[in-house]
C-alpha cells in the first residue's frame, strides 16, 4: 500500500471516530448499523497505522457499549463479515466480529422469533472449519438463542410443518458439525446447578460433572465461567430436548453415541 492511499484511509477512519464520538447513545445504534461492518474489514489491512486507527475506534465503541448496553448492533451484517474470506484468514478480524456478534445476542429478548430463526444457520455454518476458541463461542451463542427459538409458541405451533422447520434443520446432515453440536448439547444437559443458590440468582456452574469429561465440561461452561440461574438452566435443557426432537423428526438423526462422555 502506497503512502497516499494509507494517509487517505487513516484520515477517513479518523473522521469516522469523530462522528461516532459525537453521536449520542440513542442514535449510535443506527450509525453502527452501517459503520461497524465497514470498519472491521480494515483490520485485514497490511498497514499498521490503519489497523491501529481501527482499534482506537473499536476501543471507543466498546466503552460506549459498556456504559450503554442497550445500543443495538447489526448482527446479520456482522455475521456476513465473519463468514467472508478475509475473516477466514485473519484471526484478529474473525475474533473481533464474534465479540460484537455475541454482544448483539445479549439483546436476544428484543429480537423476534422470526429474526432469531433467520440467524441460526449463520451461527452454525462451517462450525468445524474454524479455530476451537471460535467454535466454542459460537456454540455458546447458539445455546443462548435456543430457548428463545425452541420454547416460543410460534415454533411449537409449526413443529410438524416441514417447510417452516426445513431451513432450521438442514445443517445437521453434515456429520462433523452434527457431532460437534451434539457433544456440546449433551454436555449442557448434564450440567447441575448449585443447590445452595436460589432459583433466580445467577451462579457459576462448577465441576466436575458426572458423565462428562473434563474437556467437554470446560467447553460447555467456559472453564467454569458460565453464569446461569437455575431457571435459565431448566429453560436451556427444555430447549435442547425440544430441538433434538425436531431435529430427529426432520433429519433422521441418530444420537445413541455421544462423544465427550466418561463411563
Amino acid at each position: 500500500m502506497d503512502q497516499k492511499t494509507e494517509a487517505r484511509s487513516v484520515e477517513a477512519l479518523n473522521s469516522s471516530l469523530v462522528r461516532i464520538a459525537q453521536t449520542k447513545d440513542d442514535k449510535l445504534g443506527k450509525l453502527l448499523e452501517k459503520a461497524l461492518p465497514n470498519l472491521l474489514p480494515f483490520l485485514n489491512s497490511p498497514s499498521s497505522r490503519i489497523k491501529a486507527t481501527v482499534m482506537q475506534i473499536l476501543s471507543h465503541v466498546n466503552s460506549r457499549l459498556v456504559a450503554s448496553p442497550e445500543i443495538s448492533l447489526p448482527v446479520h451484517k456482522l455475521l456476513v463479515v465473519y463468514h467472508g474470506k478475509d475473516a477466514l484468514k485473519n484471526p484478529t478480524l474473525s475474533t473481533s466480529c464474534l465479540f460484537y456478534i455475541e454482544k448483539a445476542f445479549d439483546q436476544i429478548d428484543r429480537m423476534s422469533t422470526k429474526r432469531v430463526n433467520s440467524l441460526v444457520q449463520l451461527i452454525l455454518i462451517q462450525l468445524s472449519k474454524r479455530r476451537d476458541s471460535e467454535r466454542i463461542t459460537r456454540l455458546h451463542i447458539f445455546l443462548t438463542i435456543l430457548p428463545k427459538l425452541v420454547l416460543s409458541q410460534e415454533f411449537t405451533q409449526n413443529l410438524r410443518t416441514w417447510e417452516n422447520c426445513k431451513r432450521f434443520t438442514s445443517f445437521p446432515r453434515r456429520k462433523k458439525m452434527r457431532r460437534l453440536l451434539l457433544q456440546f448439547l449433551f454436555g449442557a444437559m448434564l450440567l447441575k446447578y448449585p443447590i445452595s443458590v436460589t432459583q433466580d440468582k445467577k451462579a457459576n456452574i462448577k465441576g466436575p460433572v458426572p458423565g462428562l469429561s473434563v474437556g467437554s465440561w470446560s467447553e460447555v461452561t467456559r472453564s467454569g465461567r458460565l453464569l446461569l440461574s437455575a431457571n435459565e438452566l431448566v429453560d436451556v435443557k427444555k430447549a435442547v430436548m425440544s430441538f433434538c426432537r425436531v431435529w430427529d423428526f426432520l433429519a433422521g438423526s441418530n444420537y445413541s453415541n455421544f462423544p465427550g462422555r466418561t463411563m
Side-chain angles (χ1 to χ4, degrees), residues 234-246:
V234 169
D235 284 345
V236 165
K237 292 186 177 185
K238 287 180 180 178
V240 169
M241 288 189 291
S242 296
F243 172 74
C244 287
R245 280 201 300 269
V246 103

Side-chain angles (χ1 to χ4, degrees), residues 214-231:
V214 174
S216 295
W217 172 84
S218 180
E219 286 189 1
V220 175
T221 66
R222 288 185 165 178
S223 300
R225 298 192 303 275
L226 178 65
L227 279 171
L228 287 174
S229 70
N231 293 330

Side-chain angles (χ1 to χ4, degrees), residues 172-182 247 251 253:
R173 299 180 187 281
R174 298 171 185 146
K175 291 183 179 179
K176 191 170 183 179
M177 180 158 52
R178 183 162 61 186
R179 177 182 173 85
L180 289 171
L181 185 55
L182 283 176
W247 190 357
S253 302

Side-chain angles (χ1 to χ4, degrees), residues 57-240:
I57 297 173
L58 297 181
S59 177
H60 174 78
V61 171
N62 294 347
S63 64
R64 298 285 293 276
L65 292 175
V66 170
S68 303
E70 71 279 0
I71 295 173
S72 61
L73 294 170
V75 59
H76 185 273
K77 292 180 179 179
L78 291 171
L79 282 164
V80 171
V81 175
Y82 174 79
H83 287 298
K85 292 181 180 180
D86 289 342
L88 189 62
K89 299 175 183 177
N90 189 326
T92 302
L93 175 54
S94 60
T95 301
S96 298
C97 286
L98 269 184
F99 172 80
Y100 292 109
I101 290 167
E102 193 167 18
K103 283 283 186 184
F105 279 110
D106 286 344
Q107 303 176 16
I108 184 73
D109 292 337
R110 296 168 58 183
M111 299 183 188
S112 67
T113 303
K114 184 177 180 180
R115 177 165 174 73
V116 172
N117 187 24
S118 69
L119 297 171
V120 170
Q121 278 207 63
L122 286 174
I123 294 295
L124 295 176
I125 193 172
Q126 296 182 337
L127 188 66
S128 60
K129 296 182 179 180
R130 295 300 184 101
R131 296 177 302 151
D132 287 348
S133 59
E134 293 181 27
R135 172 175 55 81
I136 293 170
T137 298
R138 291 166 65 186
L139 286 169
H140 274 277
I141 293 173
F142 178 69
L143 200 63
T144 298
I145 67 179
L146 195 57
K148 169 76 173 182
L149 179 65
V150 176
L151 299 182
S152 68
Q153 185 177 3
E154 179 185 347
F155 185 86
T156 304
Q157 290 175 344
N158 295 328
L159 187 64
R160 296 183 176 275
T161 307
W162 169 260
E163 289 301 325
N164 290 332
C165 298
K166 181 172 61 175
R167 186 173 63 176
F168 179 65
T169 57
S170 60
F171 55 84
R173 299 180 187 281
R174 298 171 185 146
K175 291 183 179 179
K176 191 170 183 179
M177 180 158 52
R178 183 162 61 186
R179 177 182 173 85
L180 289 171
L181 185 55
L182 283 176
Q183 175 179 336
F184 187 81
L185 294 179
F186 179 76
M189 289 296 296
L190 289 179
L191 295 180
K192 293 184 178 180
Y193 195 76
I195 299 175
S196 59
V197 185
T198 57
Q199 294 288 302
D200 57 349
K201 184 177 180 180
K202 292 181 182 290
N204 296 97
I205 310 297
K206 298 181 179 180
V209 176
L212 196 61
S213 68
V214 174
S216 295
W217 172 84
S218 180
E219 286 189 1
V220 175
T221 66
R222 288 185 165 178
S223 300
R225 298 192 303 275
L226 178 65
L227 279 171
L228 287 174
S229 70
N231 293 330
E232 288 172 335
L233 183 57
V234 169
D235 284 345
V236 165
K237 292 186 177 185
K238 287 180 180 178
V240 169

